[in-house]
Amino acid sequence: MKKIIEGKLYNTETATLIAEYRKGNRSDFYGIEEEVYKTKKGQYFMYFWGGGCSKYREEVASQTYSENEGIKLITEEEAKEFAMKHLDAEDFIKNFGEVEEGWF
């Protein structure tokens, strides 16, 4: 998918996929797809799709909803939060670098 935001092109085919999450499928009213990407210039963005009962739904008439998809810009911190939830430690480190070891 391609989208122009603030005069700049964001393209899921040319950006690097960092992490993704899927719940359900495209025939599921509650289904969700989320993919976080990074452009060659370092900007993070999210491609999203959601069914008519998901958090991404679009109101098309009074209390009538439809599926929706799009691209939105996100910060590096938002990308990291998403990646911590959906990547294993090795893939997180590969994308964001080493992290401090935890302790009590």
Side-chain angles (χ1 to χ4, degrees):
M1 176 177 215
K2 296 178 186 177
K3 183 166 180 152
I4 296 173
I5 302 172
E6 298 175 6
K8 295 188 171 59
L9 177 66
Y10 296 89
N11 184 347
T12 58
E13 292 183 22
T14 58
T16 301
L17 178 64
I18 302 295
E20 59 188 332
Y21 170 74
R22 285 177 171 54
K23 180 178 129 189
N25 58 50
R26 292 264 174 147
S27 63
D28 181 353
F29 289 118
Y30 294 92
I32 289 175
E33 294 178 10
E34 297 172 318
E35 300 170 350
V36 168
Y37 291 87
K38 183 178 182 182
T39 68
K40 293 173 186 164
K41 293 190 175 185
Q43 174 64 55
Y44 292 92
F45 67 94
M46 176 183 281
Y47 163 80
F48 61 87
W49 174 89
C53 293
S54 75
K55 66 182 179 181
Y56 294 116
R57 69 187 182 193
E58 178 178 40
E59 189 168 13
V60 294
S62 179
Q63 296 187 358
T64 304
Y65 300 94
S66 177
E67 67 181 40
N68 187 28
E69 73 177 331
I71 287 177
K72 64 180 182 176
L73 300 181
I74 62 173
T75 66
E76 182 177 12
E77 284 305 310
E78 290 170 319
K80 284 181 178 181
E81 287 293 323
F82 185 86
M84 279 190 267
K85 291 179 185 175
H86 303 294
L87 293 179
D88 63 25
E90 287 181 13
D91 287 334
F92 183 90
I93 291 167
K94 182 176 89 174
N95 285 289
F96 296 101
E98 291 292 327
V99 296
E100 183 180 354
E101 187 171 335
W103 59 279
F104 287 56

